[in-house]
Amino acid sequence: MTPLWTAAEIAAATDGDATADFAATGVTFDSREVGRGDLFIALTGEDTDGHRFLGGAFGNGAAGAITSEGVTYPAVRVRNTMAALEDLGRAARARVDATIIGVTGSVGKTGTKEALAAALDRATPRRVHWSVKSYNNHTGVPLSLARMPRDSAFGVFEMGMNHAGELAALTRIVRPHIAIVTAIAPAHTAFFSGEDAIADAKGEIFQGLQPGGTAIIPFDSPHRDRLLAAARPYAGRIVTFGSGAGADVRAVETMRTANGGTFVTAQVGGRELSYTIAHPGLHWVSNSLAVLAAIDAVEGDLGRAGLALADMAGLPGRGQRFHARVPGGEALVIDESYNANPSSMRATLAVLAQEERRRIAVLGGMRELGDDSAAYHAGLIHPIDEAGISHAILVGAEMLPLAQALEGRVDFVHVPDAATAQACLRDVLAPGDAVLIKGSNGIGLSAVVAALKTPAVAGTGD
């Protein structure tokens, strides 16, 4: 196997000193994720010090490490390991002859990144690299870059932020040829004065565009003109996507399929394309249009992109569906437990509304919404009404305003934590039901999902 990094290359990229000769086939800064042949980066911070886990990393098969201390293991010693991670990401970006695509947005960025990677892989198998999970912050982005094989044809990187200036820094490391903004919505509003400020922060992604690069912007967004203004100084070409007349990539017709997905007829430039999206919901129609815009920008195969969209399964925590065993049968679970903001709550409740069965919602608090948090939570009463929810389990202190708004309207309970929600759901969930589980990651609703995947915990009597 061709090594991803040699000790000499790491030392050159990070201005470090190699204490031994080694070759690494992977990169990680989590000692629990180390596999045989990996490079372990001993990051240091206020709460932890990666140097404490060197023994575990090498016990798991690490080939070498990046450290800021003298160690007895094969290593490249640097002044600052976080700076070294960024330098390694920059070196990986510099050495590839690949088309680089950056994806950001308040909602939809992980799904769009995954769908785009799958579409590109259809045409160039095993030569597409993309960030795993939601590695989209100041550590995840350089790590994802550092993992990029030198023979990659495409790199697709998710970029997130919760403060102004963060995306500007990330995009200058990624240096994309194509930059996508999926959507603007209230998220991390505790750190912004309003949606205009969020749009400005998302628009920072265009600052890293390579000369002649393409900016892809949501046409239907009320912040479209703001994003266009942010892109113009940096983009050689701007492409819009959406359903409105005038969008460059436009959905002209949508129809729900028998299995809950969506059949879409879209115009891409002067061409027309029909395809099926496995994922339900109009938010996925928007994501798919962003994918088509990017595929068209790289002169890729739109037909194969359509096939990839039809084949995509849901991601854990982000729309994955499965049937859980309950006493007497099974219930459908829609796992949206990874994250939540007002926009994504509305979208996924609308997806639940399409299920022609008894509908249950386990909804956790939405975090980082600042002074408007109470209003945003209480405002969920309308999409809950529209979804025809039979029973709601509201989780966390943030959900109190919604609980007060729902009094006398919907059968619900308000509980303090995920463990209590799990017990409540076990008591109410019945065969044939559909249950949506969604909340900010910190609420811990992934534990409720995990319990439903475990028959004994899900209440089957095993």
Side-chain angles (χ1 to χ4, degrees):
M1 180 183 294
T2 301
L4 183 64
W5 294 101
T6 66
E9 289 172 332
I10 296 165
T14 62
D15 193 25
D17 295 316
T19 64
D21 188 23
F22 62 86
T25 54
V27 184
T28 185
F29 50 66
D30 187 338
S31 62
R32 297 166 297 182
E33 295 182 354
V34 170
R36 185 161 299 280
D38 280 353
L39 171 70
F40 173 64
I41 304 176
L43 295 182
T44 59
E46 293 181 2
D47 300 322
T48 189
D49 183 349
H51 295 84
R52 293 169 44 207
F53 306 105
L54 283 164
F58 280 90
N60 288 337
I66 294 179
T67 70
S68 58
E69 300 175 3
V71 298
T72 58
Y73 301 103
V76 174
R77 187 172 181 181
V78 299
R79 288 183 294 275
N80 181 294
T81 53
M82 183 62 225
L85 172 59
E86 294 177 353
D87 288 339
L88 203 63
R90 290 187 184 95
R93 172 66 181 88
R95 73 182 182 181
V96 297
D97 183 20
T99 299
I100 305 298
I101 304 171
V103 184
T104 194
S106 301
V107 291
K109 53 184 176 292
T110 300
T112 299
K113 176 256 300 180
E114 292 287 333
L116 180 53
L120 292 167
D121 190 64
R122 286 273 176 152
T124 53
R126 296 175 297 281
R127 294 195 65 204
V128 181
H129 174 74
W130 65 99
S131 46
V132 299
K133 302 180 185 178
S134 292
Y135 281 9
N136 61 23
N137 63 5
H138 67 289
T139 54
V141 170
L143 176 66
S144 297
L145 280 166
R147 290 173 166 177
M148 183 165 47
R150 60 189 83 219
D151 64 346
S152 297
F154 294 95
V156 186
F157 298 94
E158 178 181 342
M159 287 182 270
M161 63 86 202
N162 57 20
H163 288 83
E166 289 180 309
L167 266 178
L170 293 177
T171 193
R172 290 189 174 102
I173 297 175
V174 174
R175 296 190 291 117
H177 298 98
I178 298 169
I180 302 170
V181 176
T182 58
I184 304 298
H188 310 298
T189 53
F191 309 116
F192 294 95
S193 59
E195 282 194 29
D196 283 352
I198 294 172
D200 289 341
K202 295 297 184 184
E204 291 172 10
I205 192 174
F206 304 127
Q207 296 176 20
L209 274 172
Q210 295 303 279
T214 300
I216 297 177
I217 289 172
F219 182 85
D220 302 322
S221 171
H223 306 284
R224 177 188 67 207
D225 292 344
R226 206 171 191 92
L227 292 170
L228 288 170
R232 286 191 185 104
Y234 306 99
R237 180 186 178 209
I238 298 176
V239 178
T240 59
F241 66 92
S243 299
D248 299 312
V249 177
R250 180 181 174 226
V252 295
E253 185 177 7
T254 62
M255 180 184 305
R256 188 180 183 223
T257 62
N259 63 359
T262 307
F263 181 78
V264 183
T265 300
Q267 290 179 345
V268 185
R271 293 160 291 172
E272 189 170 280
L273 173 71
S274 294
Y275 59 97
T276 299
I277 309 169
H279 295 284
L282 291 177
H283 58 299
W284 259 102
V285 174
S286 181
N287 292 348
S288 75
L289 296 172
V291 169
L292 294 184
I295 294 295
D296 188 52
V298 302
E299 299 181 351
D301 190 321
L302 292 171
R304 291 190 182 189
L307 293 174
L309 289 163
D311 287 346
M312 276 197 71
L315 301 170
R318 297 181 181 275
Q320 186 178 70
R321 292 177 165 225
F322 63 93
H323 285 88
R325 290 172 57 192
V326 298
E330 292 184 332
L332 172 67
V333 180
I334 305 172
D335 175 16
E336 286 277 357
S337 60
Y338 183 78
N339 212 346
N341 60 46
S343 178
S344 64
M345 278 285 197
R346 288 193 298 272
T348 50
L349 283 166
V351 168
L352 180 62
Q354 296 174 0
E355 296 298 327
E356 297 180 355
R357 56 179 91 190
R358 192 170 79 125
R359 297 181 284 274
I360 298 170
V362 180
L363 304 178
M366 303 177 289
R367 296 189 166 173
E368 296 185 351
L369 293 179
D371 294 340
D372 293 327
S373 177
Y376 281 128
H377 283 85
L380 294 178
I381 188 172
H382 303 297
I384 286 174
D385 281 347
E386 292 166 359
I389 302 297
S390 298
H391 186 79
I393 300 173
L394 311 180
V395 190
E398 297 93 342
M399 278 292 176
L400 178 59
L402 178 59
Q404 294 170 336
L406 286 176
E407 286 286 356
R409 300 172 66 106
V410 174
D411 183 21
F412 76 93
V413 294
H414 181 211
V415 300
D417 52 41
T420 312
Q422 180 179 318
C424 291
L425 182 61
R426 184 168 56 234
D427 292 339
V428 73
L429 195 59
D433 288 348
V435 56
L436 167 68
I437 302 175
K438 186 170 183 65
S440 287
N441 194 38
I443 301 296
L445 295 184
S446 59
V448 179
V449 175
L452 289 168
K453 290 182 175 179
T454 306
V457 179
T460 63
D462 289 358

